Amino acid sequence: MDRWNSTYLMLEAAEKFETTFDRMHEEDVQFSSYFMEVDGNGKQKHIGPPKGEDWVNVIMFYNFLWLFYEVTLRFSGSLFVISNTYFCELVGIQNEFHRLCGIDGDPLLKKMAQSMKEKYEKYWGDIENMNLMMFIAVVLDPRYKMKYLKYWFNKWYSKEKAECALKLVRDALDELYAHYAKSTKLSSASGNGQATNVGSSIESSASFPYDPWKIASHEFDEHIATEDDNECTTDVDKYLNEASEKNREGFDILAWWKVNSTRYVILSEVA
């Protein structure tokens, strides 16, 4: 990526001097004669000067490499949240590769795109070799959720591979949720255990030896606790099944999770 960016910056600088090179070619005799020099074998010693076709290629490659340069700037930014948009940036790159490698346009650009795509896929071509947290960050963005991954995976991969990739992400999210749910439960139990014991001892001393209403209430409390444990992943299902937020400009994902933390207590901790 660094070499692509270096090439982009050089082309950006060179493009500004197109008119200058044209005028030197027309007005400076020494400039033109320099490129006409030949060696002892009669071969041209210097490559150049740049011609009209060369400048067309400069503009073409400059526009192509601009995408990668912009993505690099966004990835290296430190003043805004990027974890939830990381995959979105890769979507732009992947789509551009598909477009350029499939067109019947300039063969030079197509060849360059195919070469870059091969290098790109060494790192990003197989989801099993990628950090699943990148995908979980997308799922926890209320504008995208699993629908975003499902759309692009189905577009890029076979049906079987797309389903496998989605299952990997969902399993990782459920595992992460269960870990936070366990930690939250242990923290809550340690904080409330002492007060509960004191209340029980006071209540039992003032109650009858046998109280069927209290027994029934206690039985229901245990049932609810068990049911809540069994539904620990339904918080994830509830979030995923709700409508996605509109992808409006200036959307603040951190503020959204702060506002909705009471609805998704554990999932907000994951986010």
Side-chain angles (χ1 to χ4, degrees), residues 87 127-128 130-140 145-150 153 157 161-177 236 240 267 270:
F87 179 72
I127 186 175
E128 294 184 359
M130 299 168 67
N131 189 337
L132 293 178
M133 291 302 298
M134 178 178 68
F135 302 108
I136 291 176
V138 177
V139 175
L140 293 177
K145 305 187 178 183
M146 288 291 287
K147 300 171 187 176
Y148 193 78
L149 298 182
K150 183 178 181 180
F153 285 171
Y157 309 129
K161 187 174 181 179
E163 290 177 350
C164 179
L166 290 170
K167 186 178 185 304
L168 283 175
V169 176
R170 179 57 196 265
D171 289 347
L173 178 59
D174 287 341
E175 185 178 347
L176 195 60
Y177 182 91
V236 178
L240 294 177
L267 199 58
V270 177

Side-chain angles (χ1 to χ4, degrees), residues 124-257:
W124 307 107
D126 190 349
I127 186 175
E128 294 184 359
N129 297 328
M130 299 168 67
N131 189 337
L132 293 178
M133 291 302 298
M134 178 178 68
F135 302 108
I136 291 176
V138 177
V139 175
L140 293 177
D141 189 324
R143 297 169 296 176
Y144 303 127
K145 305 187 178 183
M146 288 291 287
K147 300 171 187 176
Y148 193 78
L149 298 182
K150 183 178 181 180
Y151 177 82
W152 292 113
F153 285 171
N154 285 328
K155 187 173 182 178
W156 296 338
Y157 309 129
S158 64
K159 181 179 179 181
E160 294 76 13
K161 187 174 181 179
E163 290 177 350
C164 179
L166 290 170
K167 186 178 185 304
L168 283 175
V169 176
R170 179 57 196 265
D171 289 347
L173 178 59
D174 287 341
E175 185 178 347
L176 195 60
Y177 182 91
H179 171 77
Y180 276 85
K182 183 178 180 181
S183 300
T184 302
K185 183 178 179 181
L186 290 174
S187 176
S188 177
S190 63
N192 298 330
Q194 185 175 357
T196 302
N197 291 335
V198 173
S200 298
S201 62
I202 295 174
E203 193 174 51
S204 62
S205 63
S207 61
F208 293 105
Y210 178 77
D211 190 334
W213 295 279
K214 286 188 180 295
I215 291 175
S217 179
H218 179 69
E219 180 179 338
F220 180 72
D221 289 342
E222 288 185 340
H223 167 73
I224 289 296
T226 303
E227 193 172 81
D228 288 344
D229 287 342
N230 292 334
E231 292 180 352
C232 66
T233 57
T234 60
D235 201 24
V236 178
D237 293 324
K238 179 183 176 182
Y239 165 76
L240 294 177
N241 290 330
E242 286 186 347
S244 302
E245 292 288 331
K246 296 295 183 182
N247 194 3
R248 58 185 182 276
E249 186 176 353
F251 178 81
D252 189 336
I253 185 173
L254 297 180
W256 189 93
W257 276 108

Side-chain angles (χ1 to χ4, degrees), residues 15-33:
E15 189 271 334
K16 296 180 175 65
F17 295 97
E18 177 181 0
T19 304
T20 303
F21 277 102
D22 290 341
R23 291 189 61 182
M24 290 180 68
H25 180 65
E26 295 172 359
E27 302 175 7
D28 191 333
V29 177
Q30 292 184 345
F31 175 79
S32 301
S33 62

Side-chain angles (χ1 to χ4, degrees), residues 62-80:
Y62 169 79
N63 292 332
F64 172 60
L65 293 173
W66 170 85
L67 172 66
F68 303 94
Y69 181 73
E70 284 295 307
V71 168
T72 302
L73 292 182
R74 294 174 189 174
F75 284 175
S76 59
S78 59
L79 299 179
F80 47 89

